[in-house]
């Protein structure tokens, strides 16, 4: 027992000694370690933090952009929006002051500043006359040649149900009452003269129409003045009626509109079934604005004014916000057919358009849309579209869950024969919902709109006119802003076009000023647009299908605007913004519906599909801007692209380089980040690839063996060979580049810090840098040292920094 105790005591002493010794050893070690932590290693640490921050910043930027709903970034601080109507109006405010932008050329200041677009000379459409209790009260006051002098115009011969403001006479003929609230004076088709109307191809029918009297516009394609001529080239009969009647049209008023010459739709010549024939009759754009009469001037939000919420209603506003991610409470108070200010440039109302424009099917896809905004969207189309051009409105319900969007909607819409509802049996997403709408559409042109818009006066004809002039034109209205907070209608800056930035992020940008000057552009001229915002556009139906419609492999939402934009431009079409066509849209911070899968992943995957099919060699720019992870086939499946690639071949579409050079030349898209010689500072020699291995040589720009690229994939490469570590050691070899392999990637110039000139291996977690041996015969991967000149590399040209 004693022995054991003694032994324990003895071994306890030993243990105590070992313990004390290790503590001392540890302390000593720490001191040594501390001493060895010189400036350099703290630099490295800093560098590493910077690098990691850099990656995560890029990632979060992408995430943020995707989350923001990048299709409509007008809520950005720097985006110019101006209230069309300042609200609430004080007694001294004149709505007229803010109604519209003058038709004159844009001056420099108004391009640069927002809110400068009011013109004092603008003519009022409505005069605010009275204010009660702070709320705006407006009366619609007739102009000098007011409605009482105006003759009724019946534009509704296409089966459209009567609005309440219309009356039926005993003969069951639909007419419009003499005083037609909401119809803008003097804006109807100035068919002042006698015209010949053709009913069918051979069947002619002569009708006299006197100036200012009731005019019936027959169904599109039927009521056209015709004159027969032969088109020598195409050997087809072209008919039109020019001569007397034509000359009397008010052509002076619209210097920019096409002269009444014969315009065949592009592509008609190929179609033998079309013996016809575009006829040259023209009329002033119809500025219809029907509404339930009488229009309640006192209504909340009337005339696009900001609506006020009393402070005790704040809680209710908050409560209902989530239903649509905008002020749903207010929206429900605003009339579903409210008036909005006519924000078109002044000259737009004078423009002439052809009498025989194609008809359109307006397609609204929606999922859990707010009742009042959906209705307002539909009414704005019914009330402000020439009935003979509006074939139908198709509402595609993308499997909404809200009860009121089922029977209640059916019942409400049954009052409007032109409205059809298509119900999808499962959630398809915006893209496939649009395809479903297009599949049943009967109009010649498809017009896609979001389900929370308000189409402005005269919005439709300018769009259809462009399609008429060339079926490969894809016109978009100017998208104005309906405030998500106060529901006011705001106009946006002129000369805005849709663009994208890497990695395929949609944005708006003003046309360069020199471009405007050089082309002597006015505010109403169509604007060529590299990318459309996506929500609102018209397209010839046949052409849409010729282009293969949308890639049906795109899911839910996002990227489809890029896809269709690239496809249109690269396969022979054009995208334009038409300033004379304006549609307000509620921009909201968040989507009010659920994404079946993760939102970000859905959008990324859609974009990757677009990049793979359309971007050619430029797809590296997409992946290189924070989307490298999409290249990992093990974790990301972007689906089968065979059909899309085939389609592109079949359509003989041009290259993405052609698109950049011709459509978006101001876009910077260098194919590599840097290129040329790779100079090593320590060795003062250049990297060379000789006989399949790397070496150093006297720098010589004329030697191809010394030319390397530093790519968006962060590869240091020559042809398809990448500088990569060899095996597990520190040696180097060339390997066939593989985008999925992180060992082929090097950080270089990724920050301005101490390691900017180094080539830092991405695949190792601690800092390892590419280093030239002092004799110039070796290449190693060594721990990074900020001051080691043998680790510093310089390319001849840098394109991004
Ligand atoms: N939409 C749809 N199914 C979806 C997602 C969207 O039908 O899965 C509809 C939506 O209701 C809206 C249009 O597509 O009418 C465009 O969507 P959203 O307004 O959210 O896009 P944003 O304007 O934010 O780009
Ligand atoms: Mn929208």
């Amino acid at each position: 027992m004693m022995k054991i105790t003694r032994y324990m005591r003895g071994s306890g002493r030993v243990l105590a000694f070992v313990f004390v010794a290790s503590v001392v050893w540890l302390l000593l070690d720490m001191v040594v370690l501390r001493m060895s932590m010189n400036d350099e290693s703290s630099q490295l640490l800093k560098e590493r933090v910077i690098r990691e921050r850099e990656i995560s910043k890029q990632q979060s930027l992408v995430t943020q952009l995707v989350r923001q709903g990048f299709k409509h970034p007008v809520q950005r601080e720097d985006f110019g929006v101006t209230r069309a109507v300042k609200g609430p109006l004080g007694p001294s405010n004149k709505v007229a002051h803010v109604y519209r932008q003058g038709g004159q050329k844009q001056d420099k200041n108004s391009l640069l500043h927002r809110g400068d677009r009011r013109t004092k000379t603008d003519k009022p459409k409505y005069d605010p006359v009275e204010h009660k209790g702070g709320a705006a009260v407006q009366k619609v006051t007739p102009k000098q040649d007011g409605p009482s002098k105006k003759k009724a115009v019946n534009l509704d011969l296409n089966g459209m149900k009567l609005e309440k403001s219309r009356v039926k006479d005993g003969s069951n003929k639909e007419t419009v009452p003499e005083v037609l609230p909401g119809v803008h004076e003097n804006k109807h088709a100035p068919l002042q003269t006698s015209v010949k109307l053709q009913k069918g191809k051979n069947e002619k029918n002569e009708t006299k129409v006197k100036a200012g009297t009731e005019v019936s516009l027959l169904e599109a394609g039927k009521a056209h003045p015709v004159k027969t001529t032969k088109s020598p080239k195409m050997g087809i009969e072209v008919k039109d009626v020019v001569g007397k009647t034509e000359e009397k049209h008010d052509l002076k008023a619209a210097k920019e509109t096409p002269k009444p010459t014969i315009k065949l739709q592009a592509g008609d010549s190929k179609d033998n079934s079309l013996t016809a024939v575009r006829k040259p009759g023209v009329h002033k754009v119809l500025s219809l604005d029907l509404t339930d009469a009488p229009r309640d001037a006192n209504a909340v939000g009337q005339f696009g004014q900001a609506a006020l919420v009393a402070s005790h209603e704040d809680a209710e506003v908050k409560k209902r916000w989530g239903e649509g991610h905008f002020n749903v409470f207010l929206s429900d108070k605003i009339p579903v057919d409210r008036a909005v200010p006519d924000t078109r440039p002044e000259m737009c109302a004078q423009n002439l358009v052809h009498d025989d424009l194609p008809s359109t099917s307006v397609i609204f896809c929606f999922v859990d849309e707010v009742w009042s905004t959906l209705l307002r969207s539909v009414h704005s189309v019914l009330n402000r579209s020439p009935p003979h051009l509006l074939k139908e409105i198709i509402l595609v319900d993308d499997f909404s869950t809200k009860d009121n969007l089922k029977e209640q909607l059916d019942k409400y819409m049954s009052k409007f024969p032109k409205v059809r509802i298509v119900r999808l049996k499962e959630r398809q997403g915006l893209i496939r919902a649009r395809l479903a709408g297009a599949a049943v559409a009967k109009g010649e042109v498809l017009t896609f709109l979001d389900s929370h818009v308000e189409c402005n006066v005269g919005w439709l004809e300018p769009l259809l006119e462009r399609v008429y002039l060339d079926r490969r034109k894809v016109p978009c209205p100017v998208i104005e802003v309906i405030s998500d907070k106060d529901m006011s209608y705001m106009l946006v800056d002129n000369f805005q076009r849709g663009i994208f930035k890497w990695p395929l992020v949609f944005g708006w940008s003003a046309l360069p000023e020199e471009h405007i000057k050089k082309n002597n552009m006015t505010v109403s001229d169509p604007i060529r647009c590299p990318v459309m915002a996506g929500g609102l556009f018209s397209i010839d139906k046949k052409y849409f299908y010729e282009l293969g419609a949308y890639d049906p492999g795109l899911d839910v939402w996002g990227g489809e605007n890029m896809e269709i934009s690239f496809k249109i431009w690269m396969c022979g079409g054009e995208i334009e913004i038409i300033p004379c066509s304006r549609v307000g849209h509620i921009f909201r911070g968040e989507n009010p519906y659920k994404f079946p899968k993760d939102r970000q992943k859905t959008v990324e995957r859609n974009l990757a599909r677009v990049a793979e099919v359309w971007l050619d060699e430029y797809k590296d720019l997409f992946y290189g801007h924070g989307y490298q992870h999409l290249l990992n086939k093990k974790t990301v499946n972007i689906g089968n692209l065979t059909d899309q690639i085939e389609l592109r071949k079949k359509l003989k579409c041009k290259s993405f380089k052609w698109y950049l050079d011709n459509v978006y030349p101001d876009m910077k898209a260098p194919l590599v980040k840097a290129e040329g010689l790779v100079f090593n500072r320590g060795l003062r020699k250049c990297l060379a690839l000789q006989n399949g291995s790397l070496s150093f040589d006297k720098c010589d720009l004329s030697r191809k063996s010394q030319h390397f690229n530093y790519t968006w994939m962060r590869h240091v490469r020559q042809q398809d060979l990448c500088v990569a570590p060899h095996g597990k050691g520190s040696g180097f070899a060339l390997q066939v580049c593989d985008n999925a392999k992180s060992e082929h990637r090097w950080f270089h110039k990724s920050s301005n810090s101490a390691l900017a000139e180094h080539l830092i291996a991405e695949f190792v977690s601690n800092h390892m840098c590419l280093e030239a041996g002092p004799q110039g015969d070796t290449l190693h991967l060594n721990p990074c040292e900020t001051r080691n000149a043998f680790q510093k590399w310089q390319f001849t040209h840098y394109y991004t920094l």
Side-chain angles (χ1 to χ4, degrees):
M1 195 64 196
M2 284 290 281
K3 253 186 189 173
I4 295 170
T5 320
R6 219 179 300 137
Y7 174 77
M8 280 298 287
R9 258 191 224 134
S11 70
R13 245 179 258 137
V14 170
L15 276 173
F17 176 76
V18 168
F19 176 74
V20 171
S22 356
V23 169
V24 171
W25 180 253
L26 201 71
L27 285 171
L28 273 172
D29 204 28
M30 278 171 70
V31 171
V32 172
L33 200 72
R34 179 86 207 117
M35 277 158 58
S36 71
M37 287 262 283
N38 56 13
D39 267 2
E40 193 153 283
S41 44
S42 63
Q43 266 293 1
L44 286 177
L45 210 68
K46 218 164 85 191
E47 174 71 27
R48 174 154 197 181
V49 172
I50 291 171
R51 206 181 82 190
E52 269 152 18
R53 224 182 270 157
E54 192 73 17
I55 299 172
S56 81
K57 211 166 72 188
Q58 206 169 16
Q59 248 343 134
S60 75
L61 178 76
V62 170
T63 313
Q64 197 191 340
L65 288 166
V66 171
R67 199 169 295 140
Q68 263 171 12
F70 49 71
K71 288 207 296 180
H72 301 310
V74 283
Q75 282 153 326
R76 272 170 18 205
E77 288 283 291
D78 56 335
F79 192 80
V81 280
T82 310
R83 281 239 159 116
V85 180
K86 296 260 188 221
L89 293 172
S92 58
N93 285 110
K94 284 256 186 246
V95 177
H97 286 185
V98 286
Y99 257 158
R100 52 157 89 163
Q101 171 70 343
Q104 63 275 72
K105 289 205 171 78
Q106 187 78 352
D107 68 34
K108 201 175 163 200
N109 288 339
S110 56
L111 263 181
L112 298 174
H113 304 289
R114 24 167 149 169
D116 280 346
R117 286 169 292 139
R118 289 183 271 161
T119 48
K120 288 199 175 109
T121 49
D122 286 349
K123 279 187 205 129
K125 292 227 174 77
Y126 311 106
D127 284 335
V129 289
E130 204 185 336
H131 276 266
K132 279 181 199 153
V137 180
Q138 297 185 339
K139 275 187 190 161
V140 181
T141 47
K143 287 182 185 172
Q144 279 134 353
D145 52 345
S148 57
K149 287 187 191 164
K150 198 176 54 163
K151 292 282 193 259
V153 177
N154 181 5
L155 292 158
D156 195 354
L157 293 179
N158 200 24
M160 185 184 164
K161 208 165 178 190
L162 288 179
E163 293 290 323
K164 276 189 207 155
S165 59
R166 298 180 173 199
V167 291
K168 278 196 173 193
D169 67 18
S171 65
N172 204 23
K173 197 174 147 221
E174 296 165 1
T175 57
V176 178
E178 289 255 303
V179 179
L180 187 60
V183 175
H184 292 207
E185 296 87 353
N186 297 330
K187 286 192 169 178
H188 302 301
L191 296 176
Q192 306 121 320
T193 54
S194 155
V195 290
K196 281 180 185 171
L197 300 173
Q198 187 198 7
K199 267 203 163 170
K201 234 187 259 169
N202 306 313
E203 182 193 348
K204 280 184 190 164
N205 203 357
E206 206 169 288
T207 315
K208 291 260 179 197
V209 187
K210 280 191 194 135
T213 54
E214 186 171 300
V215 171
S216 299
L217 294 184
L218 299 183
E219 269 187 42
K222 286 190 180 168
H224 309 299
V226 280
K227 172 187 155 192
T228 307
T229 54
K230 281 261 180 194
S231 164
K233 256 192 195 164
M234 287 163 267
I236 56 165
E237 206 178 48
V238 181
K239 295 175 175 181
D240 75 330
V241 171
V242 199
K244 286 179 225 160
T245 56
E246 269 308 317
E247 283 149 25
K248 290 185 187 168
H249 283 296
D250 188 6
L251 286 172
K252 254 189 269 162
K255 64 177 172 61
E256 300 169 312
T257 47
K259 290 198 186 94
T261 49
I262 303 153
K263 302 258 185 188
L264 280 169
Q265 274 196 336
D268 276 2
S269 56
K270 284 186 219 137
D271 190 344
N272 295 333
S273 66
L274 283 175
T275 45
V277 193
R278 289 296 180 188
K279 299 116 199 153
V282 288
H283 62 268
K284 259 191 214 167
V285 161
L286 298 169
S287 302
L288 283 175
D289 194 359
L290 309 178
T291 185
D292 278 356
R295 179 171 269 158
D296 176 7
N298 296 321
V300 177
Q302 189 58 281
F303 308 120
Q305 289 173 84
L308 286 179
V309 180
S311 55
H312 69 270
E313 292 168 328
D314 275 353
E316 192 65 17
V317 169
K318 252 193 199 150
K319 202 173 116 201
R320 304 207 50 205
W321 191 273
E323 288 175 36
H325 285 286
F326 61 90
N327 199 332
V328 176
F329 173 78
L330 262 187
S331 175
D332 285 0
K333 287 182 176 291
I334 296 170
V336 289
D337 62 350
R338 73 162 169 183
V340 291
D342 179 353
T343 50
R344 293 173 297 173
E346 199 139 24
M347 57 174 65
C348 292
Q350 306 304 318
N351 278 354
L352 299 185
V353 291
H354 284 82
D355 292 343
D356 56 342
L357 293 178
S359 67
T360 190
S361 299
V362 172
I363 300 171
F364 288 106
C365 299
F366 65 93
V367 55
D368 289 335
E369 186 57 68
V370 169
W371 174 260
S372 53
T373 38
L374 178 62
L375 263 48
R376 205 169 294 115
S377 307
V378 172
H379 281 288
S380 76
V381 172
L382 287 173
N383 292 350
R384 300 193 188 108
S385 311
H388 65 292
L389 296 178
L390 182 65
K391 189 86 182 167
E392 63 198 344
I393 295 176
I394 300 172
L395 299 178
V396 186
D397 174 8
D398 188 13
F399 205 56
S400 297
T401 57
K402 286 184 182 172
D403 279 348
N404 61 358
L405 296 174
K406 305 296 170 190
E407 288 95 80
Q408 196 183 326
L409 187 69
D410 286 344
K411 192 160 170 248
Y412 186 93
M413 291 302 168
S414 67
K415 288 183 282 181
F416 307 98
K418 284 204 176 175
V419 180
R420 302 164 67 193
I421 302 181
V422 174
R423 307 259 185 208
L424 303 182
K425 292 208 174 69
E426 58 184 297
R427 177 79 179 279
Q428 293 294 340
L430 160 69
I431 296 132
R432 289 191 292 269
R434 280 194 188 152
L435 292 175
V440 299
K442 294 180 192 142
E444 293 166 76
V445 173
L446 306 170
T447 298
F448 293 105
L449 297 177
D450 273 13
S451 49
H452 33 264
V453 298
E454 285 173 73
C455 296
N456 209 319
V457 170
W459 74 287
L460 184 59
E461 283 179 305
L463 299 178
L464 299 179
E465 176 71 9
R466 300 307 286 177
V467 179
Y468 175 100
L469 294 178
D470 185 339
R471 65 196 281 269
R472 291 164 305 186
K473 283 186 190 291
V474 179
C476 310
V478 168
I479 309 178
E480 295 189 295
V481 179
I482 300 168
S483 161
D484 56 340
K485 296 178 188 67
D486 62 22
M487 295 297 286
S488 60
Y489 189 101
M490 298 186 278
L491 44 110
V492 295
D493 281 347
N494 289 319
F495 298 116
Q496 295 291 320
R497 59 190 185 137
I499 53 142
F500 75 87
K501 294 231 151 72
W502 300 110
L504 297 184
V505 179
F506 178 82
W508 301 97
S509 96
L511 275 179
E513 225 174 309
E514 316 82 68
H515 180 89
I516 297 168
K517 280 203 187 114
K518 203 175 106 201
N519 294 288
N520 207 18
M521 282 180 74
T522 70
V523 286
S524 68
D525 289 336
I527 296 165
R528 273 162 64 94
C529 192
V531 185
M532 67 161 81
L536 330 176
F537 65 99
S538 292
I539 187 166
D540 180 277
K541 186 179 169 184
K542 266 169 108 187
Y543 183 55
F544 182 64
Y545 283 113
E546 277 165 37
L547 285 178
Y550 283 112
D551 166 9
L554 299 176
D555 247 343
V556 190
W557 179 98
E560 89 291 345
N561 59 329
M562 297 289 152
E563 196 239 355
I564 197 130
S565 300
F566 297 148
K567 187 185 276 183
I568 290 167
W569 279 113
M570 289 163 63
C571 311
E574 286 173 78
I575 300 168
E576 298 177 332
I577 288 179
I578 310 299
C580 287
S581 172
R582 307 180 86 93
V583 175
H585 169 262
I586 304 177
F587 291 89
R588 47 211 182 162
E590 274 177 61
N591 300 110
Y593 42 80
K594 287 206 179 87
F595 274 67
K597 291 174 215 141
D598 177 89
R599 179 189 157 132
Q600 170 148 359
K601 287 207 175 105
T602 304
V603 178
E604 284 181 0
R605 182 185 168 279
N606 286 354
L607 288 174
R609 282 184 76 86
V610 177
E612 286 294 336
V613 178
W614 297 100
L615 297 196
D616 303 328
E617 65 274 31
Y618 293 85
K619 70 182 179 192
D620 281 6
L621 275 99
F622 165 74
Y623 291 115
H625 280 82
Y627 278 140
Q628 247 126 354
H629 61 281
L630 296 178
L631 290 163
N632 188 343
K633 301 256 173 343
K634 281 183 207 135
T635 52
V636 182
N637 175 13
I638 63 166
N640 191 321
L641 292 170
T642 321
D643 288 352
Q644 302 307 308
I645 292 164
E646 274 304 307
L647 178 83
R648 187 176 158 181
K649 271 194 212 136
K650 196 185 98 197
L651 294 173
K652 299 196 172 66
C653 306
K654 297 196 178 84
S655 66
F656 196 72
K657 180 174 184 340
W658 174 91
Y659 166 85
L660 288 174
D661 291 345
N662 293 276
V663 182
Y664 193 12
D666 40 331
M667 173 57 156
K668 283 199 185 83
L671 277 170
V672 291
K673 285 171 157 237
E675 69 177 359
L677 304 176
V678 190
F679 175 70
N680 185 279
R681 281 198 187 284
L683 210 55
R684 308 205 64 75
K685 282 187 174 173
C686 284
L687 199 61
L689 171 58
Q690 271 154 348
N691 306 326
S693 63
L694 289 166
S695 59
F696 287 96
D697 225 336
K698 203 169 149 241
C699 295
D700 183 351
L701 249 179
S702 68
R703 307 258 310 259
K704 281 257 170 339
S705 61
Q706 295 186 16
H707 277 247
F708 288 84
N709 287 334
Y710 179 56
T711 72
W712 288 101
M713 294 293 115
R714 302 186 200 279
H715 292 164
V716 177
R717 69 188 278 173
Q718 195 174 95
Q719 315 286 5
D720 60 347
L721 293 178
C722 274
V723 176
H726 185 60
K728 287 200 173 133
S730 59
F732 275 83
L734 285 151
Q735 288 182 7
V736 175
C737 299
D738 184 341
N739 288 342
K741 281 193 175 156
S742 65
E743 55 264 46
H744 291 184
R745 295 202 280 268
W746 303 92
F747 283 103
H748 180 62
K749 299 263 178 181
S750 55
S751 68
N752 286 327
S753 60
L755 293 181
E757 286 182 285
H758 292 54
L759 281 164
I760 311 165
E762 190 183 305
F763 82 106
V764 268
S765 52
N766 46 346
H767 277 84
M768 295 298 271
C769 281
L770 189 65
E771 182 176 337
Q775 313 307 323
D777 51 359
T778 55
L779 200 55
H780 288 291
L781 195 59
N782 282 338
C784 299
E785 294 161 342
T786 54
R787 282 185 286 265
N788 185 343
F790 291 91
Q791 290 185 0
K792 293 186 180 180
W793 307 86
Q794 185 80 40
F795 284 80
T796 317
H797 303 288
Y798 286 88
Y799 296 102
T800 60
L801 288 177

